[in-house]
Amino acid sequence: MDFHIVWVYRHLILQGFLVTVEISAMTIVTSTIVGLIAGLLKTSKHKWLISPIIAYVEIFRGSPVLIQLFMVYFGLPYLGVSISMFNAVLLVFTLYSGAYIAEIVRAGIESISNGQREAAMTIGLTYSQMMRKIILPQALRVILPPLFGWYISLLKDTSIASVIGYTEMVFQGQNVINMTDRPFEVYLTVAALYFIISYPLSKFVDWMERRRAYA
Amino acid sequence: MIELSNIVKSFGKQTILHNVSLSVKKGEVVVIIGPSGAGKSTLLRCINKLEDIDSGEIVIDGERLTRDKKQIRKLRAEVGMVFQQFNLFPHLTARDNIALGPTYTLKQGKANIDKIVDDILFKVGLLEKKMSYPGQLSGGQQQRIAIARALAMQPKAMLFDEPTSALDPELVGEVLNVMRDLAKDGMTMVCVTHEMKFAREVADRVIVMVDGRILEEGTPETIFTNPREERTQSFLRSILQKN
Ligand SMILES: Nc1ncnc2c1ncn2[C@@H]1O[C@H](COP(=O)(O)OP(=O)(O)OP(=O)(O)O)[C@@H](O)[C@H]1O
Ligand SMILES: [Mg+2]
């Protein structure tokens, strides 16, 4: 094993690492917003809104994100819609992750007993006051551990964007391999860099779950 | 104060309330008794619109209820409800449980709310538990806070759905005492309860519900010592055996 070669190309790998962190952070923010809204709508009483949300969630959870990426990046131009690579990646990962987060949010909200809703109604709270003051604060304790668990998956899933040529960490790793022919060392380095972010996150999830168990 | 006429309520194909009519005067205390599944909870829940009725009319303090959301919210602010399972908000202190309604529904200022909270906590004898969370309180204390939460809305009437049946026997008394005080203060009350001693002391009228209908009604004296209906007699026997 010769990690010296990795050190020589450290700038490329670091560049990829930063892109991975950037796209992950951005999709975490955007898909959390999408997922929160979709999850809230799914638990609302507006029947006409629920069906399209269910369709959205099932479609994006029921197909490989790779295919979603191909359809948006390679497929849309055939329909006359041109989209940059960055926008395609951001859009697809936002919708894909938003669908999973919607389910996490829905399950969290539904875990709060109906008695809480009714008690909120009997003191005259509006739906949005009830959600903000009673349901969401309690649901959040249920939602946060799986949500952060999902963020870890999302971080790793963004590596799929390398397939369409997005210059995140795996793509840059492959570049380095092409130049050096040292796949093992390079992939190990890349894996270690994913681990550096995901391990603290997963410890954080453990901590949240332990705290919830005692509370 | 509360006028129900010909209330019909079904869940799916099952009719739970058959043409129930009931009138409660201002300051009156009505106790509803009856076997499990008779529709007592459903009736209370219809009064403050936790359930929609199929037909019939509900008039609260001269105002006929519609499906208007604003009106329903206003009505709920005027009619307090106490549940068997307390349903306190576990993530809020006793103070915040009580203050929520006055803050958001009655839109009171902070100074006013502090006074409301203190007065009511004093009334239910839990001033020292102001900053406790529901999980730190006994069942009886939780139910008293739940009553306080409803009272903080300064309601015109209070509905109680078996407020003591989830409590250990030794904690029942403290909740009934609070309800007794309320009745003395002239609160209009509809209570579903099987606490016969309480009903005898406090109720102006006892209503016997069976199978979604009002079977008979009368003063506690009449119902408990001289019930007309055979079903009332057998129900009272079954309660006495349990106690
Ligand atoms: N949300 C609901 N959906 C379907 N059926 C219901 C619902 N709520 C109540 N019921 C049915 O309505 C009937 C009356 O219920 P209700 O809770 O009003 O009775 P109750 O007199 O309060 O009984 P208990 O003494 O056990 O509390 C029961 O047969 C019950 O199964
Ligand atoms: Mg009941």
Side-chain angles (χ1 to χ4, degrees), chain B residues 11 14 16 35-42 162:
Chain B
F11 289 112
Q14 201 191 2
I16 306 299
S36 181
K40 307 178 299 292
S41 300
T42 306
E162 305 204 38

Side-chain angles (χ1 to χ4, degrees), chain B residues 1-221:
Chain B
M1 172 64 64
I2 301 173
E3 302 279 342
L4 309 178
S5 15
N6 302 312
I7 304 296
V8 178
K9 167 72 191 169
S10 349
F11 289 112
K13 285 198 183 106
Q14 201 191 2
T15 303
I16 306 299
L17 300 176
H18 304 265
N19 267 303
V20 176
S21 297
L22 170 67
S23 162
V24 182
K25 288 196 289 285
K26 193 168 188 313
E28 197 180 12
V29 177
V30 172
V31 162
I32 303 179
I33 62 173
S36 181
K40 307 178 299 292
S41 300
T42 306
L43 184 66
L44 284 197
R45 294 164 58 81
C46 286
I47 296 179
N48 74 350
K49 281 276 185 178
L50 287 177
E51 305 285 356
D52 278 327
I53 54 175
D54 302 343
S55 66
E57 192 176 66
I58 302 175
V59 177
I60 307 277
D61 201 24
E63 193 174 340
R64 187 175 171 276
L65 294 195
T66 61
R67 281 166 177 269
D68 180 63
K69 270 194 189 152
K70 265 216 175 100
Q71 192 207 25
I72 293 175
R73 255 205 324 281
K74 177 168 159 280
L75 149 90
R76 286 185 179 142
E78 290 173 354
V79 180
M81 174 107 180
V82 175
F83 302 89
Q84 183 174 350
Q85 299 299 339
F86 329 137
N87 294 342
L88 286 178
F89 307 127
H91 61 301
L92 300 177
T93 59
R95 184 217 171 259
D96 288 345
N97 266 276
I98 297 168
L100 212 56
T103 308
Y104 291 101
T105 308
L106 304 181
K107 307 219 165 17
Q108 300 279 332
K110 176 151 188 329
N112 216 348
I113 287 170
D114 285 337
K115 189 175 172 318
I116 295 176
V117 170
D118 284 356
D119 285 354
I120 290 177
L121 277 172
F122 182 74
K123 215 184 227 169
V124 300
L126 288 172
L127 202 48
E128 79 283 3
K129 298 293 182 188
K130 189 168 164 177
M131 288 306 166
S132 302
Y133 286 88
Q136 301 167 320
L137 301 173
S138 74
Q141 291 170 334
Q142 289 190 51
Q143 191 61 298
R144 281 146 73 198
I145 296 293
I147 294 173
R149 176 176 66 186
L151 288 177
M153 299 294 296
Q154 289 151 335
K156 294 175 178 164
M158 290 278 287
L159 311 175
F160 293 86
D161 190 0
E162 305 204 38
T164 58
S165 37
L167 297 176
D168 292 337
E170 71 271 21
L171 301 176
V172 168
E174 60 190 71
V175 172
L176 292 181
N177 282 338
V178 169
M179 292 170 64
R180 217 173 264 128
D181 289 346
L182 262 183
K184 257 187 228 139
D185 289 349
M187 177 64 77
T188 309
M189 293 163 62
V190 181
C191 316
V192 175
T193 180
H194 293 149
E195 295 294 332
M196 298 303 168
K197 189 161 165 290
F198 171 81
R200 247 172 208 271
E201 283 173 35
V202 177
D204 298 302
R205 195 151 42 112
V206 173
I207 285 176
V208 185
M209 255 187 100
V210 175
D211 292 341
R213 292 185 176 84
I214 293 181
L215 187 64
E216 63 179 312
E217 57 179 291
T219 61
E221 206 49 37

Side-chain angles (χ1 to χ4, degrees), chain A residues 65-200:
Chain A
V65 66
L66 181 63
I67 303 297
Q68 295 165 20
L69 204 53
F70 281 168
M71 289 197 35
V72 168
Y73 187 58
F74 298 125
L76 282 187
Y78 280 92
L79 302 178
V81 184
S82 65
I83 186 162
S84 74
M85 188 182 291
F86 173 79
N87 283 341
V89 171
L90 183 62
L91 178 69
V92 166
F93 277 96
T94 296
L95 292 175
Y96 161 72
S97 166
Y100 277 88
I101 293 175
E103 281 305 290
I104 293 171
V105 169
R106 180 198 56 78
I109 291 173
E110 284 177 357
S111 74
I112 306 304
S113 85
N114 228 0
Q116 291 289 306
R117 269 168 261 265
E118 293 184 347
M121 287 195 254
T122 57
I123 54 170
L125 298 191
T126 62
Y127 181 79
S128 98
Q129 287 167 343
M130 170 180 86
M131 275 310 193
R132 280 182 293 123
K133 302 294 165 188
I134 307 300
I135 306 298
L136 283 179
Q138 293 184 65
L140 220 52
R141 299 156 58 92
V142 182
I143 289 171
L144 282 182
L147 183 63
F148 274 77
W150 171 251
Y151 290 159
I152 296 172
S153 304
L154 180 62
L155 167 79
K156 293 180 291 181
D157 284 351
T158 57
S159 60
I160 290 170
S162 64
V163 176
I164 63 166
Y166 187 63
T167 56
E168 47 67 74
M169 184 157 56
V170 170
F171 185 85
Q172 295 292 29
Q174 282 161 348
N175 273 343
V176 175
I177 291 165
N178 289 340
M179 290 182 276
T180 61
D181 205 19
R182 309 290 317 193
F184 188 79
E185 288 86 341
V186 173
Y187 281 138
L188 191 66
T189 306
V190 167
L193 287 170
Y194 277 111
F195 187 78
I196 285 174
I197 316 178
S198 62
Y199 185 72

